[in-house]
Amino acid sequence: MYITPQKFKKKIFFRSKNAQKHIVLPEGEEERIIIAASIFIYNKLGKLTLLGDKKKIKNKIKNLNLFWDEKQIKIINPKKSIYLNEFAETFYELRKEKGIKFEEAKVLISDFSYFGTMMVYKGITDGMVSGAVNTTAKTVRPALQIIKPKIGIKTVSSMFFMLLQKRVIIYSDCAIISTPTSEQLAEIAICSAETAKLFGIKPKIAMLSYSSGNSGLGKEVEKVRKATEIVKYINPSLRIDGPIQYDAAVEKKICKNKLPNSKLEGKANIFIFPDLNSGNNTYKAVKHETKSISIGPILQGLKKPINDLSRGSTVKDIYNTIIITCIQAQKK
């Protein structure tokens, strides 16, 4: 049974409402962020902190005639914040072995992305959403330096929830690891399965390739084959197959023809791409050609939730990503 987009959206809405988490948005002066924040607060889904110049943000709120509740939304300018010295000292302690000086730490931490990440690290907020203006690297780098990966996780990766017409599926990794090794692909698959479970999706994983089973040869096919075996060894209970082509992963008749013994039976709902080039282009092609909703990139493998946005994100994309971050923050 697939979970429908309508059911998925309803489910995450009420989970966020029940969680009442606090999310920081470093790009607080961006119009799309302000509108998404207004909708989030209007629906009473949690608390927010916007980073930026208070006067500029207030003027945009007024000009856009938006709903606003100052009890639920704080505005902080990192460069004038009372937290600045404390955050700089903490960052210096975290990075001094890497050769950073205190003054350098103070300059870096005044950057909105670093400041927002430190708010999450300190527990002032429960998660962060950024990337509507900045690059993925600017969101991910502070997260790796401050939040750091979970114990046992070597690869921080990303996934997208793809809300198609009749079902919700997961695409990984479409934003972080450019040319993953077999070991990295395996870890991406395992993390994606855990994310799926957190959101009520029973994982059925397709390790994508240009070959299904033994139909083709090549270094890239063998990389996917090895990754699949690693996942099966680490977690034998996971329903997974690979290498497998996309059509065999989603169509029962094609799957039976190409991989007659496949456990997926053409019903995959998690798709692990062999490289960033294929993953990033596929999610964008599907999103724009089918007018589907994509939520992400959602980062996987960090100790606390930090999520990236595409610079092409709509208000709806941002709003949904904030909700997803609230739910991730529920899991200790």
Side-chain angles (χ1 to χ4, degrees):
M1 253 324 255
Y2 294 121
I3 183 168
T4 64
Q6 293 76 17
K7 189 176 179 181
F8 182 78
K9 285 189 283 185
K10 188 176 180 180
K11 188 173 185 177
I12 63 173
F13 178 91
F14 284 108
R15 284 185 67 181
S16 179
K17 202 175 186 77
N18 290 332
Q20 289 297 305
K21 295 298 182 181
H22 186 172
I23 307 301
V24 59
L25 308 172
E27 299 156 326
E29 295 174 15
E30 164 62 33
E31 187 173 296
R32 289 168 295 161
I33 295 287
I34 297 170
I35 297 170
S38 173
I39 299 167
F40 182 85
I41 294 302
Y42 178 80
N43 286 321
K44 299 180 180 179
L45 299 181
K47 294 182 179 181
L48 297 174
T49 292
L50 272 61
L51 301 186
D53 184 278
K54 194 167 188 175
K55 190 175 179 180
K56 286 181 183 177
I57 294 171
K58 285 290 188 74
N59 283 338
K60 287 187 178 181
I61 295 163
K62 186 178 178 181
N63 292 337
L64 293 164
N65 194 27
L66 296 174
F67 172 84
W68 209 253
D69 182 351
E70 292 191 352
K71 291 180 182 178
Q72 298 299 106
I73 303 182
K74 291 180 181 179
I75 300 173
I76 295 176
N77 186 340
K79 297 182 189 301
K80 297 178 181 179
S81 172
I82 58 171
Y83 293 124
L84 192 58
N85 282 331
E86 178 193 336
F87 283 8
E89 286 170 10
T90 302
F91 187 59
Y92 168 69
E93 289 299 322
L94 288 171
R95 301 294 293 173
K96 64 183 180 181
E97 289 183 4
K98 301 290 183 181
I100 195 169
K101 307 296 182 190
F102 178 75
E103 287 306 314
E104 292 172 324
K106 196 169 182 179
V107 170
L108 266 179
I109 212 67
S110 65
D111 175 90
F112 288 14
S113 294
Y114 275 91
F115 190 93
T117 305
M118 188 59 79
M119 287 185 76
V120 180
Y121 178 80
K122 289 279 191 177
I124 297 166
T125 60
D126 300 301
M128 183 178 96
V129 174
S130 186
V133 178
N134 294 304
T135 62
T136 293
K138 192 158 185 181
T139 301
V140 175
R141 190 180 297 113
L144 292 175
Q145 291 176 353
I146 298 170
I147 304 297
K148 299 182 180 178
K150 293 176 184 175
I151 295 169
I153 298 292
K154 295 178 182 177
T155 306
V156 172
S157 61
S158 74
M159 54 76 67
F160 281 83
F161 286 108
M162 303 297 296
L163 278 59
L164 307 182
Q165 189 177 2
K166 295 181 180 179
R167 66 190 187 120
V168 177
I169 59 175
I170 288 172
Y171 283 170
S172 301
D173 171 12
C174 305
I176 307 293
I177 312 297
S178 59
T179 51
T181 62
S182 294
E183 290 75 16
Q184 286 176 317
L185 278 178
E187 200 159 55
I188 291 166
I190 290 167
C191 285
S192 298
E194 288 302 310
T195 302
K197 290 175 188 175
L198 179 62
F199 289 88
I201 298 171
K202 191 175 180 180
K204 302 178 188 72
I205 309 166
M207 304 293 283
L208 296 175
S209 172
Y210 59 79
S211 167
S212 291
N214 298 314
S215 66
L217 300 172
K219 187 172 68 173
E220 290 302 305
V221 178
E222 291 309 311
K223 178 177 81 170
V224 175
R225 195 186 313 281
K226 183 181 176 184
T228 307
E229 292 306 315
I230 292 170
V231 175
K232 287 178 179 178
Y233 177 78
I234 293 171
N235 192 341
S237 65
L238 279 178
R239 200 166 165 184
I240 185 171
D241 215 336
I244 188 169
Q245 292 161 292
Y246 201 106
D247 57 354
V250 297
E251 290 286 345
K252 190 173 182 179
K253 286 183 180 178
I254 298 173
C255 187
K256 195 172 182 180
N257 183 34
K258 291 186 175 182
L259 282 171
N261 297 319
S262 174
K263 292 180 180 179
L264 295 179
E265 299 176 322
K267 296 177 182 178
N269 54 18
I270 298 177
F271 301 84
I272 308 300
F273 291 92
D275 56 62
L276 187 58
N277 190 41
S278 57
N280 190 272
N281 279 297
T282 301
Y283 106 78
K284 285 176 179 170
V286 171
K287 176 181 178 176
H288 290 283
E289 293 298 333
T290 65
K291 306 303 177 188
S292 303
I293 295 171
S294 68
I295 306 175
I298 306 300
L299 299 188
Q300 306 178 126
L302 290 168
K303 289 178 180 177
K304 293 187 177 185
I306 305 288
N307 283 321
D308 188 29
L309 294 164
S310 166
R311 278 168 287 171
S313 292
T314 63
V315 169
K316 190 181 286 185
D317 294 334
I318 297 163
Y319 169 75
N320 284 327
T321 304
I322 298 170
I323 291 174
I324 293 292
T325 310
C326 289
I327 295 168
Q328 283 183 305
Q330 285 181 281
K331 191 178 181 184
K332 300 295 181 184

